[in-house]
Amino acid sequence: MSDIPEYPLQWPEAVPRTTQRVTSQFKTTLHAALANVDKALRAFAKDSGKQVTGIVLSSNVGGLSLKAPADPGVAAWFTWDGEQRCIAVDRYPKPQDNLQAIFHIIEARRTEMRHGGLHVVRQTFKGFTALPAPDDWFKVLGFKPGATVGLNEVEAAFRSLAKNTHPDAGGSAAAMARLNWARDEARRQLGAPQ
């Protein structure tokens, strides 16, 4: 079972976020889009002969609100063929449209299965192999959650940690990517100029 929560949105670390959303042509309600994704994942499991388990549709749609969330992204996390996968879409301004896009992505994999076989789908699914959702930037930069932190402290912590984290200093590319993510997320949340 996945430990990914449904709410708030858990975006996969390696997937870039959309900076400029476009209006979709989908005419699907949230309820219908949820049903479409569920049906597509069940059909995909049947077509591939491999179970799809641990399905979590993570988004910022939560609680009782008539307003659309500021971040309409949706991430479909699940396990297939022994690996956790994530299909994440935030291209559209409405969560139901991003969810419907995920439905179409799954249906495209079903088409690949029919025409190319399981080996083709395994190849295309390598891009959906899920990296864990990113840590809290406070934790990555060495701050205690809830501490009052400003941009100067973020930059100082980043520079200090980068001295050992950078691949040229004996660190790894993955560790440096995580550190870069934390600094960028801190800057974004603290309102640094882009």
Side-chain angles (χ1 to χ4, degrees), residues 43-151:
F44 179 76
K46 184 178 178 189
D47 291 351
S48 69
K50 306 279 182 184
Q51 280 190 317
V52 173
T53 60
I55 301 168
V56 175
L57 300 177
S58 183
S59 74
N60 286 322
V61 177
L64 297 173
S65 175
L66 297 176
K67 286 177 34 178
D71 181 349
V74 177
W77 297 83
F78 56 94
T79 300
W80 176 77
D81 201 21
E83 292 185 34
Q84 189 176 43
R85 313 291 175 154
C86 184
I87 302 172
V89 178
D90 68 347
R91 179 178 172 91
Y92 305 112
K94 296 179 184 175
Q96 61 263 33
D97 293 346
N98 290 317
L99 195 55
Q100 188 67 9
I102 291 170
F103 160 72
H104 287 290
I105 291 167
I106 296 165
E107 286 297 299
R109 303 297 76 81
R110 291 186 64 217
T111 299
E112 289 172 348
M113 185 88 59
R114 285 191 296 274
H115 298 290
L118 188 58
H119 70 283
V120 171
V121 174
R122 281 190 175 125
Q123 284 300 106
T124 59
F125 253 45
K126 285 185 180 192
F128 295 125
T129 300
L131 297 173
D135 290 324
D136 180 18
W137 64 265
F138 271 84
K139 181 179 166 187
V140 175
L141 293 172
F143 299 112
K144 291 183 180 176
T148 302
V149 178
L151 289 171

Side-chain angles (χ1 to χ4, degrees), residues 1-22:
M1 180 67 179
S2 173
D3 59 353
I4 303 292
E6 292 177 354
Y7 177 86
L9 173 63
Q10 299 299 303
W11 196 261
E13 190 171 336
V15 177
R17 297 306 306 262
T18 299
T19 56
Q20 192 162 353
R21 293 188 173 91
V22 297

